Structure formats: structure tokens, C-alpha cells
Amino acid sequence: MTGLKNLYIDGRWSGSVAGLPPRQVLNPADGSVLATVCVASADDVDLAVRSARTGFDNGQWSGMPVRERGNKLREIAQILADNRVNLSHIESLDAGKTLKEAGMDVDDAVSAFRYFANIADLDAGRMVDAGDPNIISRIGYLPVGVCALISAWNFPLQTLTWKLAPALAAGNTVVIKPSEVTPLSTLKLLELLEQADLPAGTVNLVLGPGAQVGTALVQHPGIDLISFTGGSEAGQKVMEAAAKGIKKVTLELGGKNPNIIFADTDFHTAVDNALTAAFVHSGQVCSAGSRLIVQDQIYDRFVRELARRADSIRLGHGQDPETECGPLATAEHRENVERHITQAIADGARLVAGGVRPGEEHLQSGNFLRPTVFADCDRSMAIVREEVFGPVVTVERFSTEEEAVFLANDTEYGLAGAVWSNDASQVHRVAEQLRHGTVWINDYHPYLPQAEWGGFGKSGLGRENGLQGLNEYRETRHIYQNIAPAPSRWFQD
Ligand code: NAD
């Protein structure tokens, strides 16, 4: 035992039974240690899953009337809203994002709990016409069981609550594993959940690296459903584990998201939003508009203005109100992004902004990287095809509408995309042809809890938010009742 008690199992804070060495959580803006937390062993994972199983089977949560569960979710939403300042401060420190962004993440978390509280009892199922007046046939829903919720480091609170709120609304019990890089807002969330007084075993928390703790969790036979947000590589392993155990699985993976700019759009609005699309949270956003596709007539001017604006983005500590972009999550991640930049230059992409670490003295101990723009890109280049997950945007050129659609759909991913034009018919036509889970027209980045979120192709499986986001956490059951039973006379007496 290390003395640390950061795991939450069966309604109590506990330490790792194996006493594994703890892990330091670093501030990405300056490398300082924000916290030291314990790492779960396979035995801890087992205890957490057993706790969730007991919590599910005893029916205290799963058997609670749906309306009462909804009330609990509303209570949680209010607790989160009341703690907005504290939660966003923690998220900003841990994930390196600005306080403004972190505050929006808390708002998203609150909205998710409110939305799923409101829809939990909207749909109790339906009657089915069996074509026989003596048959009562009805469809109803049950919680799936014990869910493993695995979240990513870029939106720790938001990616988790998009899972937790529907999972709880549907009556499941859960074991949460946040990213080992940014576990602090999840720890705070668990602390706040205690105020809602959920039955013991409803929500459990394990901490530690994905390769060990995540693997132990997804392979555990007591898990019925895995909801995962993260990269494609880990997503593939999660799916393999799900396949071995025939577990339900949803995957929210990466993206390489096209942002199409037609020449007739308002130029400065499009440039301004292209920056937001690409560089919010230093591009560490699954739906970042990292792939600009710009029409011929405005291409050169657009590239010049984009580069000028990118060069003036202010980097800094997330808590500094002057900061527009924070650091990358880890030193290793920054090196990985830099490898993508080196490769892009070798492949012939023209670097017109950034590509380097900032020179300012006060940024030297953080994982900062200047917002980077590559022009003259084409789809043969890795920088156009692969998710970089950093402050890097590529610009390709197109002339016709057909070409724009072709380029935008020419990706293994399919998470999100946008189209900008003043021609209402054109944006509608293009949006209808884009094979991406979310398509924005003359906007970028807004999410709605009532609208399904998820990707085509390698961007994942299943959806979060919206009605489908709830249904992922429910089993459908058909009950067929014969009210006038009689011998079937299938076999002779
Ligand atoms: P990651 O894949 O490294 O880790 C994600 C989570 O999975 C972490 O909690 C990690 O510990 C865990 N993990 C890693 N390997 C595992 C394994 N073998 N088994 C079980 N769990 C494992 O991803 P990341 O670096 O934290 O996040 C960045 C990625 O997430 C990007 O690709 C981004 O596009 C994606 N993402 C997608 C969405 C979406 O909604 N589609 C949202 C946010 C992030």
C-alpha cells in the first residue's frame, strides 16, 4: 500500500491492493507535479468490476424507478454546475486548456446530465401488432449491465460524462478508467458524486495506464459493455477484447476532418473560423478542422491570411487570461507531432506558419508548439491522411464542387466536416454528400447533447448523445404474450 486512496470502489476511496508505485500527474504548461495518484492492479480492477456487478444485481440503481434515476441525474447536473469554477480550474491545469474552454467543458457535462435525465423515461418501449387479437407483443428496454467507461486526455470531463450520464440514465453500473495523463477532473467528479448519494457500487473508479489497467478492465469477464474514447490503435485492441468476450462496444476514435471553403463565402469569417476549427485546444480535438480544402479563386489570399493570423496566436498557461492556445498534453506527444511536421516538409508540403517550438523564455518548460500551417498539400501526403492531433492544419486546393466533395470524403475517417459558402443550395448539396458523422454548415465545432455524435469508418462505432446515445446502453427485449393459450397440435398425441 502506498497510503494514497484514489480508487473508488464499492462506495469508498481505497488504495491499490498490490501497492503499485504511484504515478505523477504533470502540468503540461510547465512540467510541475500537480498530483500523485495510485495505479490500480488487476486485482483492483477485479474488485471494481465485482462491486459494479453486485451494485447492478442488487437492483438499488438498476431497479430504481426511471423517474427517480432522472432526478438523481438532475441533482448531479446541479452539483457540477455549482462547482463550475473549481472543476474548470482543475481541467485547465491538468489538460492545459484555457479556462474559457475548460468552463465550456463543464457546461457540456452539465448539459449531458440534464439531457439524459429528461429523456430517460420518455420511451418505455412500444406495442407491436402481432396480427392476432390474442397476442400482446411489446418491446421494452433493460440496462445492459456493468459498463467499462474509458475516456481520453483531451476532454477528460466531457468525454467521460457523455458516457456516464446515459449509462446511469439507462440503469447500468459502471467502472470508469480516465486517461492516466489527465485523471484529476475525474477524481473531482467522483468526489462530487458522493453528494448525490448514489447506491454503493453504482460508480467505481480505477486509475492507471491503458496498456495495463485498461486492458485488465476490457478483458474482465464481468464487463458487459465497453464505451471507449481514444485513438484508433487502442480502439482496435479494445474491440478485439470485446470480440473475445462478445461484449457490446462503442468506439469514439480519431478524425481527419475536412473544412471546405468556397470562394463566395465571407472571407474573414471563414479564415477566423478556420483558425478556431484547427487550433482550439492546440488542435488536440478529435473533430479539429485539420484539413482545409479551399477554392482556387481565394486560395493564395486565404493561405496568406491564415498564416498571418496563426502567427499571432498567443501561447501560454491555461490560467492566463491572455492565453489563446495552451501546451500539448505531454512531451512525448509534442515529439510525435514534430515527427509529423518533419515528414510533411520531406513530402513537399510548404510550411507557411509555425512548425517550431516558441522562443519565449516562460514557455520553455512546457510542451508548447507554434500553430502550424502547411500549404500546397495533396492527399498523397501523410500529413493530409493521418490524424496529427496537434496544432497543424493543411490546405488543399479545389476548383469544382464535385472535387471538393471527392476530397472531403477521401479519408479513412469520417467523424466531422464543414462547408462554407453563401450559396444555400450549394452548402445543402455538399452537406448531403459528406460521409461524416457531423457536418457543420457555415460554422464549426458546436455540439448538442440532443444530437448524435460519432464517426463513420475508422472514426468509430456507435454514437454518443441523442436518443442513440441512450440506446447504446440499453438492451431491447421483446415480450410476446398469448392470452388464449391452446394446444399447438404440432405433434400428434
Ligand atoms: P489513447 O487511445 O491513447 O487513450 C484513450 C484511453 O484508452 C486512455 O484512458 C488510455 O489509458 C486507454 N487505453 C489505451 N490503451 C488501451 C488498451 N489497450 N485497452 C484499454 N484501454 C486503453 O487516446 P488519447 O491519446 O487519450 O486520446 C486521443 C485520441 O482520442 C485521438 O485519436 C482523438 O481523436 C480521440 N478522441 C476521439 C473523440 C471522439 O469523440 N471521437 C473524442 C476525444 C478524443
Side-chain angles (χ1 to χ4, degrees), residues 95-126:
K97 52 179 66 187
T98 62
L99 279 174
K100 182 178 168 187
E101 285 173 54
M104 290 168 74
D105 291 359
V106 179
D107 295 342
D108 279 347
V110 171
S111 303
F113 275 101
R114 291 206 172 121
Y115 172 70
F116 286 107
N118 290 339
I119 67 163
D121 65 355
L122 271 190
D123 174 14
R126 66 183 199 278

Side-chain angles (χ1 to χ4, degrees), residues 150-155 159 177-180 208-211 214-215 218 228-232 234 237-238 252-255 286 387 389 415 453 459:
I150 300 179
S151 50
W153 52 253
N154 59 339
F155 286 85
T159 55
K177 198 211 82 67
S179 167
E180 60 275 27
T215 301
V218 297
F228 172 87
T229 298
S232 304
K237 290 187 182 137
V238 167
E252 292 295 329
L253 307 178
C286 51
E387 182 184 47
F389 215 57
L415 186 60
W453 174 260
S459 289

